[in-house]
């Protein structure tokens, strides 16, 4: 994280949206601002896609509309998170420089007419994006409405990988810096296989479409290279903003949601002053709230535990899923407060006013097509009022947990590579299983990048970390030797940093730590199920494992690894344990296993609560706040007392949280 120590952009919890006034005639603006005041909005992101409006021809600027809107917002006491507009370059730039458009792995060049249509390695976009950033910083950086910078938008969302000739040259440059010479690259990429040997860097291309399986080392390096290119783009824009306006914090909206992993966000955190994130539910997922909690915990991990900002989510439906279900009554409030519970000091949406035209006109907004007289706008004003009452929470943190769960973007990239033992091993599945089970048990967890320091953690969970940081085994040994519990699951620590298998029996990186040696993977057929001797049920995976220095806690009772260990524990003097699980457990079995691991470490829930009642604490020097979010259709008891800031009433231990409702207690 940057060392920025300035003020948060709002006094209380930030509340607002992306605001795109350029989509509306001026008459609407005054109504916008008065509705914003009615709803309690205090921050809007402006100008995200406005480059074409601001600079309709190269060097000719139209600022009057932005001048006017900034003054209007300022007059109403609404702060602005001003964007650099690089997510949507103007048409003239595309026409002048068609070479800036990205190219896919099949060699097809995209066309302008949407957004993010640029190759991140293009010097053209770098030049023009930093140029317009400077223009905006110089003109608006001291406007009193402007509270922070929003660099571009969801970097790499649509243009994450480009295979054009400019990218190819940049990739070769990048490789030249990673490898001493081309022989070192040949060794790392294993090019002796299929005679892929290179005799000079000049022969190397991005992993464009090949006849069959491409070289995995090349693929993995291309992921790293592409991510680094976006980090460099962010750095370039942020450097201009910091040079001109050192007083303003800089952010960029991450996409820590679902399966997006085009950027290693951990590498960007030193470049932002406030970590912010966009989150959209997958509307048909009945456990979408658990996915939301997982995302929010990952963001808090990236933010080093400090408050972060929910930059976008939706008031109701999105428009880009197969079936865009509207949110149920009360769901927006629950979703928003889940993010706040897990460390966000803001609740922002895409977007303020639902568009009338364009690609996203069926995406909900704070002001829907129906206008002010609508349930959506009424629930928006209700949310604004609740957030107003939660102002005192701002700046508090989710206390550090004793439990950590590790994830890593490079491991994800490597795990995604082609021709692996089973398509049913999907990188985040087991992480989600474990996080979901902790959620149901009411146990707080810090979801951390795998490079994070592990001091102070008593339980560390390492799900399917196929490619592990080279020092991780030592850090995990440290946890175990001071009496902590470490749980590693199958398909972890298999390869080195270049995706070459660590020989001598899997999991090469963790064999000694765990006291196990796997001779052969034995994945299950589609929908295959195995039973273990302790009554648990496995799916997806099994292994032919030998316990070399660990106690066998359960063996496979059937399936391709029948009679072999499925769950082991290497015990260390002082109570420490290194657990290894070689299958994907079903829900009840995960819960039972975690119960054993947590009780060995003496970890308790935040507040013992029934399933479906999500309970999270935030605290500061001045107090503590307990968020209780009821995801069920039944009123559920909360065993804690204080003042419920949502209803403004006192709450005694055992009083109920209404079905599908939320209680936020200022604790006694
Ligand atoms: C992303 C983008 C927004 C908008 C929303 C729609 O989050 O940043 O501009 O497209 O998706 O869900």
């Amino acid at each position: 994280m940057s060392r920025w120590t300035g003020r948060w952009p709002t006094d209380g919890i930030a509340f607002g949206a992306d605001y795109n006034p350029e989509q509306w005639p001026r008459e609407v603006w005054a109504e916008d601002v008065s509705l914003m005041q009615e709803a309690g909005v205090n921050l809007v992101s402006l100008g995200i896609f406005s480059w074409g409006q601001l600079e309709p021809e190269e060097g000719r600027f139209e600022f009057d509309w932005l001048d006017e809107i900034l003054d209007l917002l300022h007059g109403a006491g609404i702060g602005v998170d001003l964007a650099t507009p690089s997510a949507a370059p103007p048409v003239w730039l595309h026409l002048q420089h068609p070479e800036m458009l990205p190219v896919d792995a099949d060699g097809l060049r995209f066309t302008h007419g949407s957004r993010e249509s640029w190759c991140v390695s293009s010097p053209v976009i770098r030049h023009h994006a930093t140029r317009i950033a400077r223009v905006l910083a110089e003109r608006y950086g001291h406007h009193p409405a402007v509270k922070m910078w929003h660099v571009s938008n969801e970097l790499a969302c649509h243009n994450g990988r480009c295979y054009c000739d400019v990218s190819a040259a940049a990739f070769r440059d990048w490789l030249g810096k990673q490898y001493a010479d081309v022989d070192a690259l040949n060794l790392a990429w294993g090019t002796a296989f299929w005679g892929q040997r290179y005799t000079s860097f000049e022969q190397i291309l991005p992993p464009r479409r090949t006849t069959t399986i491409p070289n995995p080392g090349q693929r993995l390096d291309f992921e790293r290279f592409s991510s680094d290119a976006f980090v460099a783009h962010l750095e370039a824009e942020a450097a201009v903003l910091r040079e001109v306006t050192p007083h303003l914090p800089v952010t960029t909206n991450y996409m820590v949601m679902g399966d997006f992993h085009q950027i290693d966000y951990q590498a960007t955190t030193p470049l932002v002053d406030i970590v912010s994130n966009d989150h959209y539910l997958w509307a048909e997922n009945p456990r979408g709230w658990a996915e939301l909690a997982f995302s929010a915990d990952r963001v808090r991990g990236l933010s080093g535990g400090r408050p972060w900002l929910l930059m976008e989510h939706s008031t109701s439906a999105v428009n880009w899923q197969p079936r865009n279900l509207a949110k149920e009554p009360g769901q927006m409030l629950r979703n928003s407060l889940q993010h706040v519970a897990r460390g966000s000091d803001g609740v922002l949406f895409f977007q303020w006013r639902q568009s009338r035209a364009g690609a996203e006109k069926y995406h909900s907004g704070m002001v829907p097509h129906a206008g002010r007289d609508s349930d959506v706008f009424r629930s928006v004003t209700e949310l604004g009022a609740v957030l107003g009452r939660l102002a005192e929470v701002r700046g508090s943190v989710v206390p550090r947990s004793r439990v950590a769960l590790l994830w890593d973007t490079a491991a994800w990239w490597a795990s995604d590579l082609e021709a692996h033992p089973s398509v049913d091993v999907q990188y985040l599945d087991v992480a989600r299983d474990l996080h979901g089970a902790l959620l149901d048990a009411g146990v707080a967890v810090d979801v951390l990048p795998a490079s994070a320091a592990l001091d102070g953690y008593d339980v560390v969970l390492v799900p399917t970390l196929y490619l592990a940081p080279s020092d991780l085994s030592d850090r995990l040994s440290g946890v175990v030797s001071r009496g902590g519990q470490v749980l590693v699951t199958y398909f972890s620590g298999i390869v080195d940093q270049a995706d070459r298998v660590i020989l001598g029996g899997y999991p090469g990186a963790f064999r000694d730590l765990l006291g196990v040696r796997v001779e052969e993977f034995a994945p299950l057929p589609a929908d295959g199920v195995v039973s273990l001797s302790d009554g648990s049920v496995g799916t997806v995976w099994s292994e032919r494992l030998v316990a070399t220095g660990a106690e066998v806690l359960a063996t496979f009772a059937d399936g391709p690894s029948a009679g072999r260990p499925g769950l082991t524990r290497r015990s260390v003097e002082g109570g420490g344990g290194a657990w290894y699980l070689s299958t994907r457990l079903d829900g009840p079995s995960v819960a039972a296993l975690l119960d054993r691991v947590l009780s060995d470490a003496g970890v308790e829930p935040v507040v013992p609560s029934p399933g479906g009642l999500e309970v999270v604490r935030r605290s500061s020097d001045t107090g503590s706040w307990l968020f209780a979010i009821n995801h069920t259709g039944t009123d559920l008891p909360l065993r804690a007392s204080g003042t419920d800031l949502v209803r403004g009433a006192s709450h005694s231990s055992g009083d109920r949280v209404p079905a599908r409702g939320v209680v936020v207690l200022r604790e006694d």
Side-chain angles (χ1 to χ4, degrees):
M1 288 290 294
S2 82
R3 283 191 296 269
W4 177 77
T5 53
R7 276 174 57 79
W8 189 255
T10 54
D11 288 334
I13 304 281
F15 181 51
D18 286 11
Y19 180 35
N20 299 302
E22 66 273 30
Q23 296 177 13
W24 297 94
R26 274 185 159 77
E27 308 82 81
V28 177
W29 300 355
E31 189 199 28
D32 280 340
V33 171
S34 100
L35 291 180
M36 284 179 193
Q37 286 180 304
E38 184 179 337
V41 165
N42 56 14
L43 186 71
V44 294
S45 301
L46 206 59
I48 299 177
F49 303 108
S50 305
W51 198 344
Q53 261 77 15
L54 286 168
E55 192 182 15
E57 288 169 38
E58 185 165 12
R60 182 170 74 75
F61 294 97
E62 290 181 2
F63 289 125
D64 50 330
W65 68 273
L66 190 51
D67 294 349
E68 193 177 327
I69 204 84
L70 278 168
D71 292 345
L72 255 177
L73 290 164
H74 182 58
I78 297 165
V80 169
D81 168 34
L82 190 61
T84 64
S86 53
V91 176
W92 60 259
L93 184 54
H94 284 306
L95 294 176
Q96 231 176 63
H97 291 283
E99 77 280 11
M100 174 183 117
L101 288 156
V103 170
D104 73 7
D106 288 339
L108 184 75
R109 195 177 286 280
F110 293 98
T111 313
H112 67 272
S114 186
R115 65 175 175 184
E116 275 192 13
S117 14
W118 42 268
C119 157
V120 67
S121 301
S122 162
V124 176
I125 186 67
R126 188 68 58 84
H127 167 74
H128 285 278
T130 49
R131 178 183 60 82
I132 187 80
R134 184 175 296 279
V135 168
L136 289 171
E138 283 172 351
R139 186 174 179 95
Y140 296 112
H142 293 275
H143 191 290
V146 177
K147 305 295 180 198
M148 68 190 288
W149 289 112
H150 180 295
V151 173
S152 205
N153 190 63
E154 292 188 339
L155 286 166
C157 177
H158 312 297
N159 57 348
R161 302 291 176 263
C162 174
Y163 301 81
C164 74
D165 291 340
V166 174
S167 300
F171 183 39
R172 289 189 286 265
D173 276 359
W174 184 92
L175 291 169
K177 291 181 192 125
Q178 309 297 314
Y179 296 100
D181 53 34
V182 79
D183 289 337
L185 176 143
N186 279 309
L187 204 62
W189 288 9
T191 59
F193 187 79
W194 284 350
Q196 293 168 345
R197 179 179 173 192
Y198 294 101
T199 53
S200 98
F201 282 103
E202 287 314 301
Q203 299 168 329
I204 299 171
L205 290 171
R208 294 175 181 160
R209 174 82 62 206
T210 46
T211 46
T212 181
I213 308 165
N215 180 293
Q218 177 190 14
R219 288 260 289 109
L220 181 57
D221 271 347
F222 191 66
E223 300 287 303
R224 292 182 171 125
F225 152 77
S226 302
S227 175
D228 283 0
F230 282 98
V231 176
H233 183 94
L234 170 62
E235 188 168 18
E237 287 204 33
V240 171
L241 301 173
R242 290 209 171 90
E243 180 199 322
V244 184
T245 58
H247 61 291
L248 288 178
V250 172
T251 192
T252 189
N253 46 343
Y254 293 169
M255 293 176 70
V256 177
M257 73 173 117
D259 288 323
F260 183 84
H261 57 296
Q262 299 282 64
I263 296 190
D264 178 1
Y265 286 124
Q266 178 66 6
T268 70
T269 59
L271 302 173
V272 296
D273 301 309
I274 293 174
V275 161
S276 52
N277 193 50
D278 296 351
H279 187 270
Y280 292 93
L281 290 175
W282 192 260
E284 291 179 73
N285 176 1
R287 290 259 303 171
W289 61 273
E291 174 67 25
L292 186 162
F294 181 48
S295 159
D297 283 353
R298 283 162 65 201
V299 179
R300 190 176 71 255
L302 288 166
S303 188
R306 299 198 302 180
W308 53 278
L309 179 62
L310 174 66
M311 186 64 86
E312 292 181 25
H313 68 153
S314 67
T315 57
S316 189
V318 300
N319 69 320
W320 43 265
Q321 293 174 12
R323 285 163 292 275
N324 296 297
L325 311 188
K327 289 192 179 176
E328 297 161 9
Q331 193 182 357
M332 179 183 72
L333 180 78
R334 291 198 303 281
N335 293 163
S336 298
L337 293 187
Q338 275 192 280
H339 288 288
V340 177
R342 292 176 186 276
S344 176
D345 270 356
V347 172
L348 274 63
F349 293 93
F350 176 83
Q351 61 178 325
W352 165 248
R353 192 180 273 277
Q354 183 171 8
S355 298
R356 178 172 195 183
E360 297 186 318
K361 56 182 171 296
Y362 295 117
H363 192 293
S364 58
M366 293 173 86
V367 182
H369 288 156
R372 177 175 179 276
D373 182 12
S374 60
D375 283 346
V376 167
F377 189 70
R378 277 184 284 276
S379 45
V380 160
T381 45
E382 183 200 334
L383 172 62
V386 169
L387 293 175
R389 295 197 287 278
L390 295 185
E392 64 190 58
V393 174
R394 190 182 67 71
S396 65
V397 296
V398 178
R400 197 182 145 122
S401 173
R402 293 175 57 206
V403 183
L405 187 154
L406 305 186
W407 69 292
D408 180 77
T409 308
W412 197 342
W413 291 328
S415 159
D416 280 354
L417 292 170
E418 294 79 3
H420 274 196
S422 171
V423 294
D424 294 328
V425 178
Q426 291 295 318
Y427 177 62
L428 280 190
D429 282 354
V430 180
R432 287 188 174 112
D433 294 347
L434 293 169
H435 188 273
L438 291 167
L439 184 61
D440 291 340
V443 173
V445 54
D446 293 345
V447 183
L448 302 177
S451 56
L454 300 175
D455 320 284
Y457 288 101
D458 297 322
V459 174
V460 180
L461 307 172
V462 186
T464 53
L465 196 73
Y466 170 65
L467 183 163
S470 30
D471 65 340
L472 183 58
S473 180
D474 288 346
R475 285 184 285 129
L476 294 173
S477 295
V479 174
V480 174
S481 56
R482 56 178 171 69
Q485 308 301 315
V486 166
L487 169 68
V488 177
T489 81
Y490 64 94
F491 216 48
S492 294
I494 304 298
V495 293
D496 67 11
Q497 302 305 307
D499 192 44
R500 291 174 306 192
V501 172
I502 306 173
L503 300 177
Y506 316 118
F510 301 128
R511 245 178 357 236
D512 295 341
L513 168 76
L514 300 166
V516 300
R517 182 166 174 271
V518 175
E519 292 175 12
E520 192 179 9
F521 301 137
L524 306 187
D527 303 322
V529 170
V530 282
S531 340
L532 285 92
S533 56
D534 64 354
S536 49
V537 175
T539 62
V540 174
W541 193 263
S542 78
E543 289 170 333
R544 302 198 170 136
L545 179 146
V546 180
T548 49
E551 183 191 349
V552 177
L553 301 178
T555 49
F556 288 105
D558 48 32
S561 305
R564 299 290 193 134
L567 177 68
T568 61
R569 182 182 193 273
R570 185 173 76 86
S571 303
V572 172
E573 213 179 313
W579 304 63
Y580 182 66
L581 172 68
S582 69
T583 187
R584 181 177 180 191
L585 294 179
D586 70 359
S589 312
V590 177
L593 171 59
L594 275 178
D595 195 43
R596 289 169 81 175
V597 175
L598 295 174
S599 67
D600 274 10
V603 172
E604 302 278 344
V606 177
V607 171
S609 306
L613 184 67
E614 180 182 358
V615 180
V616 186
R617 179 171 283 125
R618 287 184 64 158
S619 65
S620 73
D621 295 345
T622 62
S624 70
W625 296 267
L626 198 68
F627 288 69
I629 301 148
N630 186 346
H631 297 285
T632 77
T634 315
D635 296 355
L636 295 173
L638 174 63
R639 282 189 222 102
S641 59
T643 305
D644 173 14
L645 300 175
V646 175
R647 286 172 308 138
S650 77
H651 179 106
S652 308
S653 183
D655 285 355
R656 290 180 181 257
V657 180
R660 308 209 181 282
V662 185
V663 160
V664 181
L665 293 188
R666 181 201 293 134
E667 294 187 280
D668 288 339

